[in-house]
Amino acid sequence: QKEVEQNSGPLSVPEGAIASLNCTYSDRVSQSFFWYRQYSGKSPELIMSIYSNGDKEDGRFTAQLNKASQYVSLLIRDSQPSDSATYLCAVTSGGFKTIFGAGTRLFVKA
Amino acid sequence: GAVVSQHPSWVICKSGTSVKIECRSLDFQATTMFWYRQFPKQSLMLMATSNEGSKATYEQGVEKDKFLINHASLTLSTLTVTSAHPEDSSFYICSARHPAGGGETQYFGPGTRLLVL
């Protein structure tokens, strides 16, 4: 079982819709959770971090964490073609070991 | 925000030569930096963890004698690909762990594209 799992996609949504990206993790003692965006040919860029259960909003992005179910999600409201990228989920457990998921490709159709 | 730079952004070299890549945290001190490699359309692969003032920790399967890492200061880590071969051609990305907020957030450099002919 992979430690951090994401659907590889591609996830295709129309412009203006909500894109929902999901991530599950296996280590119950995980403490910190991150979403990165990676455009093709570029390095990852930090979008959101979340540490406690619930929702965290930043502009059009909302991260959701449910530690009991061991999943973290990222919602992108009013999706734009410029949001088309690969989204990486990252989970940090004790000892500061950060595990990255393989990423979900998002395609926003104009 | 936290800024991490890498130099060079791309390099082309002949097989058998060595290539050094620098990773710098510009506006914060990073005791820990990471080196990743990414092949086209594949996910990030962690190569090693670089700790300031001590030896790097390499992931399984990564040859430490081929990929030399030096983290001599709190803002600079270097990766040297020794005797590079065409199969080493890849996108090398470093990240630095920011000390704020528990010190678990990684910020990535822009990456270095290496092409070995």
Side-chain angles (χ1 to χ4, degrees), chain B:
Chain B
V3 181
V4 177
S5 70
Q6 270 184 253
H7 178 81
S9 56
W10 58 270
V11 59
I12 302 173
C13 68
K14 293 182 179 180
S15 183
T17 59
S18 293
V19 175
K20 179 186 282 189
I21 303 170
E22 293 185 348
C23 178
R24 294 181 185 273
S25 55
L26 298 185
D27 52 358
F28 66 99
Q29 294 184 330
T31 56
T32 304
M33 293 183 175
F34 304 88
W35 287 96
Y36 295 84
R37 182 166 56 180
Q38 189 174 37
F39 293 105
K41 299 190 185 301
Q42 295 189 22
S43 55
L44 286 174
M45 187 195 83
L46 178 64
M47 299 175 66
T49 301
S50 170
N51 297 297
E52 187 268 336
S54 63
K55 292 183 178 180
T57 303
Y58 290 82
E59 296 298 303
Q60 191 174 5
V62 178
E63 299 175 57
K64 61 181 180 181
D65 294 329
K66 181 168 182 63
F67 299 100
L68 301 178
I69 292 173
N70 184 283
H71 195 155
S73 79
L74 288 172
T75 59
L76 173 64
S77 176
T78 60
L79 168 68
T80 301
V81 183
T82 62
S83 186
H85 287 93
E87 58 266 28
D88 298 321
S89 299
S90 188
F91 189 37
Y92 291 86
I93 313 172
C94 74
S95 71
R97 180 179 284 159
H98 196 283
E104 297 176 342
T105 304
Q106 292 184 39
Y107 291 92
F108 285 86
T112 298
R113 294 203 178 279
L114 171 63
L115 176 62
V116 184
L117 302 177

Side-chain angles (χ1 to χ4, degrees), chain A residues 12-87:
Chain A
S12 183
V13 300
E15 183 176 0
I18 296 175
S20 178
L21 304 162
N22 299 311
C23 171
T24 58
Y25 59 94
S26 59
D27 189 344
R28 284 194 167 275
V29 299
S30 297
Q31 301 163 333
S32 306
F33 308 85
F34 307 89
W35 283 100
Y36 290 83
R37 176 177 62 198
Q38 185 176 23
Y39 290 114
S40 180
K42 302 294 185 182
S43 66
E45 172 192 12
L46 179 68
I47 298 176
M48 294 278 287
S49 59
I50 187 167
Y51 305 97
S52 54
N53 280 328
D55 295 359
K56 180 181 178 182
E57 187 175 319
D58 184 1
R60 294 187 297 112
F61 299 99
T62 298
Q64 299 175 318
L65 175 61
N66 184 323
K67 290 186 177 181
S69 300
Q70 295 176 241
Y71 84 77
V72 57
S73 62
L74 179 69
L75 301 178
I76 306 175
R77 290 181 300 281
D78 188 24
S79 296
Q80 302 297 309
S82 58
D83 295 325
S84 298
T86 296
Y87 289 81

